PDB file of all heavy atoms in Angstrom:
ATOM      1  N   LEU A   1      -1.775  -8.693   6.535  1.00 88.00           N
ATOM      2  CA  LEU A   1      -1.879  -8.413   7.849  1.00 88.00           C
ATOM      3  C   LEU A   1      -1.811  -6.887   7.976  1.00 88.00           C
ATOM      4  O   LEU A   1      -2.750  -6.369   8.829  1.00 88.00           O
ATOM      5  CB  LEU A   1      -0.766  -9.122   8.591  1.00 88.00           C
ATOM      6  CG  LEU A   1      -0.870 -10.630   8.868  1.00 88.00           C
ATOM      7  CD1 LEU A   1       0.485 -11.021   9.369  1.00 88.00           C
ATOM      8  CD2 LEU A   1      -1.940 -10.973   9.898  1.00 88.00           C
ATOM      9  N   ALA A   2      -1.009  -6.123   7.169  1.00 87.00           N
ATOM     10  CA  ALA A   2      -1.008  -4.802   7.331  1.00 87.00           C
ATOM     11  C   ALA A   2      -2.247  -4.125   6.937  1.00 87.00           C
ATOM     12  O   ALA A   2      -2.804  -3.166   7.561  1.00 87.00           O
ATOM     13  CB  ALA A   2       0.179  -4.255   6.245  1.00 87.00           C
ATOM     14  N   ARG A   3      -2.954  -4.685   5.883  1.00 82.00           N
ATOM     15  CA  ARG A   3      -4.114  -4.087   5.479  1.00 82.00           C
ATOM     16  C   ARG A   3      -5.207  -4.405   6.636  1.00 82.00           C
ATOM     17  O   ARG A   3      -6.128  -3.401   6.718  1.00 82.00           O
ATOM     18  CB  ARG A   3      -4.686  -4.845   4.173  1.00 82.00           C
ATOM     19  CG  ARG A   3      -3.988  -4.313   3.009  1.00 82.00           C
ATOM     20  CD  ARG A   3      -4.586  -5.076   1.706  1.00 82.00           C
ATOM     21  NE  ARG A   3      -3.814  -4.666   0.520  1.00 82.00           N
ATOM     22  CZ  ARG A   3      -3.884  -5.310  -0.706  1.00 82.00           C
ATOM     23  NH1 ARG A   3      -4.605  -6.328  -0.714  1.00 82.00           N
ATOM     24  NH2 ARG A   3      -3.078  -4.865  -1.583  1.00 82.00           N
ATOM     25  N   MET A   4      -5.276  -5.497   7.185  1.00 82.00           N
ATOM     26  CA  MET A   4      -6.121  -5.721   8.199  1.00 82.00           C
ATOM     27  C   MET A   4      -5.892  -4.720   9.411  1.00 82.00           C
ATOM     28  O   MET A   4      -6.853  -4.319  10.213  1.00 82.00           O
ATOM     29  CB  MET A   4      -6.067  -7.046   8.836  1.00 82.00           C
ATOM     30  CG  MET A   4      -6.558  -8.217   7.864  1.00 82.00           C
ATOM     31  SD  MET A   4      -6.361  -9.807   8.581  1.00 82.00           S
ATOM     32  CE  MET A   4      -5.884 -10.775   7.180  1.00 82.00           C
ATOM     33  N   ALA A   5      -4.718  -4.153   9.498  1.00 85.00           N
ATOM     34  CA  ALA A   5      -4.496  -3.291  10.579  1.00 85.00           C
ATOM     35  C   ALA A   5      -4.684  -1.824  10.175  1.00 85.00           C
ATOM     36  O   ALA A   5      -4.439  -0.853  10.901  1.00 85.00           O
ATOM     37  CB  ALA A   5      -3.003  -3.412  11.028  1.00 85.00           C
ATOM     38  N   GLY A   6      -5.093  -1.603   8.797  1.00 82.00           N
ATOM     39  CA  GLY A   6      -5.466  -0.277   8.373  1.00 82.00           C
ATOM     40  C   GLY A   6      -4.494   0.299   7.392  1.00 82.00           C
ATOM     41  O   GLY A   6      -4.712   1.424   7.078  1.00 82.00           O
ATOM     42  N   ALA A   7      -3.537  -0.435   6.991  1.00 81.00           N
ATOM     43  CA  ALA A   7      -2.618   0.141   5.854  1.00 81.00           C
ATOM     44  C   ALA A   7      -3.359   0.466   4.611  1.00 81.00           C
ATOM     45  O   ALA A   7      -4.299  -0.207   4.165  1.00 81.00           O
ATOM     46  CB  ALA A   7      -1.448  -0.871   5.531  1.00 81.00           C
ATOM     47  N   SER A   8      -3.062   1.618   4.073  1.00 74.00           N
ATOM     48  CA  SER A   8      -3.693   1.875   2.771  1.00 74.00           C
ATOM     49  C   SER A   8      -2.660   1.437   1.601  1.00 74.00           C
ATOM     50  O   SER A   8      -1.610   1.805   1.571  1.00 74.00           O
ATOM     51  CB  SER A   8      -3.745   3.420   2.706  1.00 74.00           C
ATOM     52  OG  SER A   8      -4.232   3.833   1.399  1.00 74.00           O
ATOM     53  N   SER A   9      -3.333   0.650   0.879  1.00 66.00           N
ATOM     54  CA  SER A   9      -2.574   0.066  -0.378  1.00 66.00           C
ATOM     55  C   SER A   9      -3.501  -0.237  -1.418  1.00 66.00           C
ATOM     56  O   SER A   9      -4.647  -0.494  -1.157  1.00 66.00           O
ATOM     57  CB  SER A   9      -1.677  -1.033  -0.011  1.00 66.00           C
ATOM     58  OG  SER A   9      -2.264  -2.125   0.698  1.00 66.00           O
ATOM     59  N   GLY A  10      -2.881  -0.508  -2.676  1.00 56.00           N
ATOM     60  CA  GLY A  10      -3.691  -0.779  -3.753  1.00 56.00           C
ATOM     61  C   GLY A  10      -4.174  -2.273  -3.700  1.00 56.00           C
ATOM     62  O   GLY A  10      -3.888  -3.045  -2.771  1.00 56.00           O
ATOM     63  N   GLY A  11      -4.942  -2.635  -4.802  1.00 53.00           N
ATOM     64  CA  GLY A  11      -5.397  -3.926  -4.703  1.00 53.00           C
ATOM     65  C   GLY A  11      -5.045  -4.854  -5.903  1.00 53.00           C
ATOM     66  O   GLY A  11      -5.446  -6.006  -5.876  1.00 53.00           O
ATOM     67  N   SER A  12      -4.532  -4.276  -6.945  1.00 48.00           N
ATOM     68  CA  SER A  12      -4.230  -5.040  -7.982  1.00 48.00           C
ATOM     69  C   SER A  12      -2.733  -5.738  -8.054  1.00 48.00           C
ATOM     70  O   SER A  12      -1.916  -4.972  -7.576  1.00 48.00           O
ATOM     71  CB  SER A  12      -4.450  -4.476  -9.352  1.00 48.00           C
ATOM     72  OG  SER A  12      -3.822  -3.217  -9.427  1.00 48.00           O
ATOM     73  N   VAL A  13      -2.593  -6.842  -8.579  1.00 49.00           N
ATOM     74  CA  VAL A  13      -1.299  -7.415  -8.562  1.00 49.00           C
ATOM     75  C   VAL A  13      -0.273  -6.459  -9.127  1.00 49.00           C
ATOM     76  O   VAL A  13      -0.474  -5.907 -10.290  1.00 49.00           O
ATOM     77  CB  VAL A  13      -1.303  -8.766  -9.238  1.00 49.00           C
ATOM     78  CG1 VAL A  13       0.081  -9.349  -9.250  1.00 49.00           C
ATOM     79  CG2 VAL A  13      -2.254  -9.637  -8.490  1.00 49.00           C
ATOM     80  N   GLY A  14       0.864  -6.294  -8.559  1.00 51.00           N
ATOM     81  CA  GLY A  14       1.858  -5.359  -9.040  1.00 51.00           C
ATOM     82  C   GLY A  14       1.807  -4.006  -8.480  1.00 51.00           C
ATOM     83  O   GLY A  14       2.761  -3.217  -8.540  1.00 51.00           O
ATOM     84  N   PHE A  15       0.689  -3.664  -8.016  1.00 54.00           N
ATOM     85  CA  PHE A  15       0.474  -2.343  -7.399  1.00 54.00           C
ATOM     86  C   PHE A  15      -0.017  -2.450  -5.905  1.00 54.00           C
ATOM     87  O   PHE A  15      -0.663  -1.619  -5.380  1.00 54.00           O
ATOM     88  CB  PHE A  15      -0.388  -1.468  -8.174  1.00 54.00           C
ATOM     89  CG  PHE A  15       0.123  -1.294  -9.579  1.00 54.00           C
ATOM     90  CD1 PHE A  15      -0.527  -2.038 -10.563  1.00 54.00           C
ATOM     91  CD2 PHE A  15       1.056  -0.433  -9.889  1.00 54.00           C
ATOM     92  CE1 PHE A  15      -0.029  -1.798 -12.003  1.00 54.00           C
ATOM     93  CE2 PHE A  15       1.511  -0.190 -11.097  1.00 54.00           C
ATOM     94  CZ  PHE A  15       0.902  -0.917 -12.132  1.00 54.00           C
ATOM     95  N   ASP A  16       0.175  -3.586  -5.317  1.00 67.00           N
ATOM     96  CA  ASP A  16      -0.228  -3.847  -3.877  1.00 67.00           C
ATOM     97  C   ASP A  16       0.220  -2.990  -2.889  1.00 67.00           C
ATOM     98  O   ASP A  16      -0.461  -2.734  -1.894  1.00 67.00           O
ATOM     99  CB  ASP A  16       0.115  -5.354  -3.556  1.00 67.00           C
ATOM    100  CG  ASP A  16      -0.880  -6.330  -4.419  1.00 67.00           C
ATOM    101  OD1 ASP A  16      -2.094  -6.411  -4.320  1.00 67.00           O
ATOM    102  OD2 ASP A  16      -0.155  -6.956  -5.212  1.00 67.00           O
ATOM    103  N   ASP A  17       1.371  -2.432  -3.050  1.00 76.00           N
ATOM    104  CA  ASP A  17       2.043  -1.843  -1.921  1.00 76.00           C
ATOM    105  C   ASP A  17       2.151  -0.263  -2.158  1.00 76.00           C
ATOM    106  O   ASP A  17       3.148   0.319  -1.650  1.00 76.00           O
ATOM    107  CB  ASP A  17       3.394  -2.460  -1.665  1.00 76.00           C
ATOM    108  CG  ASP A  17       3.319  -3.849  -1.501  1.00 76.00           C
ATOM    109  OD1 ASP A  17       2.651  -4.282  -0.488  1.00 76.00           O
ATOM    110  OD2 ASP A  17       3.894  -4.686  -2.317  1.00 76.00           O
ATOM    111  N   ILE A  18       1.260   0.257  -2.929  1.00 78.00           N
ATOM    112  CA  ILE A  18       1.214   1.727  -3.101  1.00 78.00           C
ATOM    113  C   ILE A  18      -0.061   2.330  -2.478  1.00 78.00           C
ATOM    114  O   ILE A  18      -1.119   1.793  -2.664  1.00 78.00           O
ATOM    115  CB  ILE A  18       1.211   2.059  -4.585  1.00 78.00           C
ATOM    116  CG1 ILE A  18       2.452   1.576  -5.335  1.00 78.00           C
ATOM    117  CG2 ILE A  18       0.956   3.409  -5.043  1.00 78.00           C
ATOM    118  CD1 ILE A  18       2.564   1.685  -6.760  1.00 78.00           C
ATOM    119  N   ASP A  19       0.237   3.437  -1.784  1.00 78.00           N
ATOM    120  CA  ASP A  19      -1.019   4.123  -1.069  1.00 78.00           C
ATOM    121  C   ASP A  19      -1.463   4.965  -2.430  1.00 78.00           C
ATOM    122  O   ASP A  19      -0.727   5.929  -2.713  1.00 78.00           O
ATOM    123  CB  ASP A  19      -0.499   5.048  -0.020  1.00 78.00           C
ATOM    124  CG  ASP A  19      -1.630   5.774   0.538  1.00 78.00           C
ATOM    125  OD1 ASP A  19      -2.774   5.967  -0.078  1.00 78.00           O
ATOM    126  OD2 ASP A  19      -1.465   6.158   1.796  1.00 78.00           O
ATOM    127  N   TRP A  20      -2.587   4.655  -2.871  1.00 73.00           N
ATOM    128  CA  TRP A  20      -3.158   5.339  -4.087  1.00 73.00           C
ATOM    129  C   TRP A  20      -3.358   6.899  -3.764  1.00 73.00           C
ATOM    130  O   TRP A  20      -3.430   7.693  -4.769  1.00 73.00           O
ATOM    131  CB  TRP A  20      -4.420   4.683  -4.653  1.00 73.00           C
ATOM    132  CG  TRP A  20      -4.029   3.355  -5.323  1.00 73.00           C
ATOM    133  CD1 TRP A  20      -4.308   2.169  -4.729  1.00 73.00           C
ATOM    134  CD2 TRP A  20      -3.297   3.141  -6.438  1.00 73.00           C
ATOM    135  NE1 TRP A  20      -3.765   1.101  -5.567  1.00 73.00           N
ATOM    136  CE2 TRP A  20      -3.189   1.847  -6.609  1.00 73.00           C
ATOM    137  CE3 TRP A  20      -2.794   3.963  -7.426  1.00 73.00           C
ATOM    138  CZ2 TRP A  20      -2.490   1.146  -7.602  1.00 73.00           C
ATOM    139  CZ3 TRP A  20      -2.001   3.301  -8.501  1.00 73.00           C
ATOM    140  CH2 TRP A  20      -1.971   2.031  -8.654  1.00 73.00           C
ATOM    141  N   ARG A  21      -3.584   7.251  -2.616  1.00 75.00           N
ATOM    142  CA  ARG A  21      -3.813   8.525  -2.172  1.00 75.00           C
ATOM    143  C   ARG A  21      -2.559   9.461  -2.359  1.00 75.00           C
ATOM    144  O   ARG A  21      -2.657  10.707  -2.628  1.00 75.00           O
ATOM    145  CB  ARG A  21      -4.459   8.711  -0.814  1.00 75.00           C
ATOM    146  CG  ARG A  21      -5.637   7.968  -0.507  1.00 75.00           C
ATOM    147  CD  ARG A  21      -6.062   7.893   0.897  1.00 75.00           C
ATOM    148  NE  ARG A  21      -4.950   7.185   1.606  1.00 75.00           N
ATOM    149  CZ  ARG A  21      -4.890   7.089   3.066  1.00 75.00           C
ATOM    150  NH1 ARG A  21      -5.805   7.428   3.611  1.00 75.00           N
ATOM    151  NH2 ARG A  21      -3.749   6.387   3.555  1.00 75.00           N
ATOM    152  N   THR A  22      -1.463   8.884  -2.131  1.00 79.00           N
ATOM    153  CA  THR A  22      -0.129   9.686  -2.166  1.00 79.00           C
ATOM    154  C   THR A  22       0.753   9.264  -3.330  1.00 79.00           C
ATOM    155  O   THR A  22       1.710   9.908  -3.634  1.00 79.00           O
ATOM    156  CB  THR A  22       0.612   9.494  -0.877  1.00 79.00           C
ATOM    157  OG1 THR A  22       1.054   8.073  -0.726  1.00 79.00           O
ATOM    158  CG2 THR A  22      -0.315   9.890   0.353  1.00 79.00           C
ATOM    159  N   GLY A  23       0.715   7.974  -3.690  1.00 80.00           N
ATOM    160  CA  GLY A  23       1.531   7.533  -4.904  1.00 80.00           C
ATOM    161  C   GLY A  23       2.744   6.929  -4.264  1.00 80.00           C
ATOM    162  O   GLY A  23       3.734   6.542  -5.033  1.00 80.00           O
ATOM    163  N   GLU A  24       2.821   6.830  -2.901  1.00 82.00           N
ATOM    164  CA  GLU A  24       4.092   6.271  -2.236  1.00 82.00           C
ATOM    165  C   GLU A  24       3.985   4.869  -1.878  1.00 82.00           C
ATOM    166  O   GLU A  24       2.843   4.444  -1.626  1.00 82.00           O
ATOM    167  CB  GLU A  24       4.152   7.197  -0.940  1.00 82.00           C
ATOM    168  CG  GLU A  24       4.426   8.618  -1.097  1.00 82.00           C
ATOM    169  CD  GLU A  24       5.695   9.006  -1.799  1.00 82.00           C
ATOM    170  OE1 GLU A  24       6.739   8.367  -1.404  1.00 82.00           O
ATOM    171  OE2 GLU A  24       5.736  10.011  -2.449  1.00 82.00           O
ATOM    172  N   PHE A  25       5.076   4.207  -1.900  1.00 84.00           N
ATOM    173  CA  PHE A  25       5.093   2.860  -1.504  1.00 84.00           C
ATOM    174  C   PHE A  25       5.010   2.838   0.068  1.00 84.00           C
ATOM    175  O   PHE A  25       5.363   3.678   0.752  1.00 84.00           O
ATOM    176  CB  PHE A  25       6.372   2.144  -1.850  1.00 84.00           C
ATOM    177  CG  PHE A  25       6.493   1.811  -3.272  1.00 84.00           C
ATOM    178  CD1 PHE A  25       7.156   2.591  -4.211  1.00 84.00           C
ATOM    179  CD2 PHE A  25       5.878   0.654  -3.709  1.00 84.00           C
ATOM    180  CE1 PHE A  25       7.185   2.180  -5.534  1.00 84.00           C
ATOM    181  CE2 PHE A  25       5.909   0.320  -5.043  1.00 84.00           C
ATOM    182  CZ  PHE A  25       6.626   1.121  -5.901  1.00 84.00           C
ATOM    183  N   VAL A  26       4.312   1.794   0.523  1.00 83.00           N
ATOM    184  CA  VAL A  26       4.008   1.758   1.919  1.00 83.00           C
ATOM    185  C   VAL A  26       4.802   0.801   2.742  1.00 83.00           C
ATOM    186  O   VAL A  26       4.389   0.351   3.831  1.00 83.00           O
ATOM    187  CB  VAL A  26       2.388   1.494   2.283  1.00 83.00           C
ATOM    188  CG1 VAL A  26       1.685   2.783   1.684  1.00 83.00           C
ATOM    189  CG2 VAL A  26       1.956   0.245   1.618  1.00 83.00           C
ATOM    190  N   TYR A  27       5.856   0.225   2.217  1.00 84.00           N
ATOM    191  CA  TYR A  27       6.663  -0.714   2.773  1.00 84.00           C
ATOM    192  C   TYR A  27       7.168  -0.428   4.195  1.00 84.00           C
ATOM    193  O   TYR A  27       7.301  -1.348   5.108  1.00 84.00           O
ATOM    194  CB  TYR A  27       7.822  -1.148   2.047  1.00 84.00           C
ATOM    195  CG  TYR A  27       7.590  -1.707   0.637  1.00 84.00           C
ATOM    196  CD1 TYR A  27       8.024  -0.969  -0.485  1.00 84.00           C
ATOM    197  CD2 TYR A  27       6.883  -2.823   0.461  1.00 84.00           C
ATOM    198  CE1 TYR A  27       7.799  -1.547  -1.688  1.00 84.00           C
ATOM    199  CE2 TYR A  27       6.667  -3.325  -0.810  1.00 84.00           C
ATOM    200  CZ  TYR A  27       7.090  -2.805  -1.844  1.00 84.00           C
ATOM    201  OH  TYR A  27       6.873  -3.274  -3.137  1.00 84.00           O
ATOM    202  N   THR A  28       7.288   0.867   4.481  1.00 87.00           N
ATOM    203  CA  THR A  28       7.875   1.147   5.846  1.00 87.00           C
ATOM    204  C   THR A  28       6.699   1.846   6.747  1.00 87.00           C
ATOM    205  O   THR A  28       7.115   2.388   7.730  1.00 87.00           O
ATOM    206  CB  THR A  28       9.042   2.236   5.690  1.00 87.00           C
ATOM    207  OG1 THR A  28       8.501   3.308   4.954  1.00 87.00           O
ATOM    208  CG2 THR A  28      10.157   1.577   4.932  1.00 87.00           C
ATOM    209  N   SER A  29       5.437   1.591   6.386  1.00 89.00           N
ATOM    210  CA  SER A  29       4.280   2.134   7.158  1.00 89.00           C
ATOM    211  C   SER A  29       4.452   1.386   8.492  1.00 89.00           C
ATOM    212  O   SER A  29       4.898   0.225   8.675  1.00 89.00           O
ATOM    213  CB  SER A  29       2.990   2.031   6.596  1.00 89.00           C
ATOM    214  OG  SER A  29       2.644   0.693   6.484  1.00 89.00           O
ATOM    215  N   ASP A  30       3.796   1.953   9.526  1.00 93.00           N
ATOM    216  CA  ASP A  30       3.657   1.296  10.823  1.00 93.00           C
ATOM    217  C   ASP A  30       2.943   0.071  10.742  1.00 93.00           C
ATOM    218  O   ASP A  30       3.354  -1.036  11.389  1.00 93.00           O
ATOM    219  CB  ASP A  30       2.894   2.274  11.887  1.00 93.00           C
ATOM    220  CG  ASP A  30       3.544   3.441  12.179  1.00 93.00           C
ATOM    221  OD1 ASP A  30       4.867   3.578  11.994  1.00 93.00           O
ATOM    222  OD2 ASP A  30       3.023   4.531  12.729  1.00 93.00           O
TER     223      ASP A  30
END
């Protein structure tokens, strides 16, 4: 749902919640 809303995150299992541009986890993104 967050990706559909525009969240930036990875795509491979185990790295789904990382913004590859920053290396930060995106769990607390808007």
Side-chain angles (χ1 to χ4, degrees):
L1 285 167
R3 284 180 182 169
M4 289 180 221
S8 176
S9 58
S12 55
V13 176
F15 300 102
D16 290 290
D17 303 303
I18 297 173
D19 182 338
W20 291 108
R21 298 170 302 178
T22 64
E24 300 289 325
F25 284 97
V26 294
Y27 296 120
T28 58
S29 70
D30 291 342

